[in-house]
Amino acid sequence: PPGIGNTNIQATVALSDDLAPGALITNVVQIQGNETDSDPGDNSFVSVLPVVEVSEPDIALFKTVTSSPPRPGGAIAYRLRVINQGAFRLENVVLTDTLPAGVSLRESFHTTCFAPPDCVDNGFSPTIDQGQLVWQLGEIEVRGYGDFYLTVDVPLTVTAGSVLTNTAAISTDAG
């Protein structure tokens, strides 16, 4: 029946290589039906967007603690998310996580979608040296991402109220 339901339509367009930064792209969407419309004034939408130049790499690293506050003899769970937010593929990407002093790695696993929509579970093993985990990730396509999960054990010798610092970094040949 008329007026019931939703429909989503998505379109992807390729822009001409000769569009200069600052050029405006106008997109017009219109809809009509066989029935008489009581408000034809809301049947179109115009969007104007400027062409922007993206010439810098943009890789992001987010880190969260996914467990409750640690206690002596307990565990801390971390999630690291790597995302290529730039406009081109990144190469020789390296993820490094330096664990807090005194903790020991219990487990590590991950899911990567570095060439979306293809995803892989546990496709990379980190090297571990003196509390530092290093993943050689290689290439990450535009909008590619990975989620890395770590669980570490907190020694019984840690006193309540101690600050445990965990540092992560991401690097690539692109900068």
Side-chain angles (χ1 to χ4, degrees):
I4 297 179
N6 295 319
T7 301
N8 291 319
I9 299 173
Q10 294 183 354
T12 302
V13 297
L15 301 179
S16 171
D17 289 337
D18 62 354
L19 283 175
L24 297 178
I25 299 171
T26 302
N27 182 29
V28 179
V29 179
Q30 295 178 323
I31 189 167
Q32 68 182 37
N34 293 328
E35 298 80 18
T36 303
D37 190 338
S38 64
D39 183 8
D42 66 355
N43 292 356
S44 65
F45 179 78
V46 177
S47 173
V48 179
L49 299 171
V51 174
V52 295
E53 182 176 12
V54 179
S55 61
E56 305 243 345
D58 187 6
I59 190 159
L61 174 62
F62 302 95
K63 184 173 194 169
T64 55
V65 174
T66 60
S67 59
S68 58
R71 63 186 194 318
I76 307 170
Y78 299 100
R79 173 184 168 218
L80 293 91
R81 175 163 260 217
V82 174
I83 306 171
N84 180 356
Q85 299 178 139
F88 51 89
R89 179 182 66 234
L90 298 174
E91 298 178 351
N92 300 315
V93 178
V94 178
L95 172 62
T96 304
D97 188 285
T98 304
L99 299 176
V103 305
S104 57
L105 181 66
R106 179 190 298 176
E107 68 178 335
S108 160
F109 64 95
H110 60 273
T111 298
T112 56
C113 299
F114 288 162
D118 299 326
C119 298
V120 176
D121 289 330
N122 298 315
F124 302 93
S125 295
T127 58
I128 303 170
D129 184 27
Q130 298 182 14
Q132 192 171 65
L133 286 74
V134 179
W135 289 268
Q136 301 289 335
L137 303 178
E139 295 181 354
I140 303 178
E141 295 293 333
V142 173
R143 291 182 296 285
Y145 65 93
D147 290 315
F148 295 79
Y149 300 90
L150 309 171
T151 302
V152 298
D153 291 318
V154 178
L156 287 169
T157 56
V158 171
T159 57
S162 295
V163 175
L164 302 175
T165 302
N166 181 286
T167 306
I170 191 84
S171 64
T172 178
D173 285 353

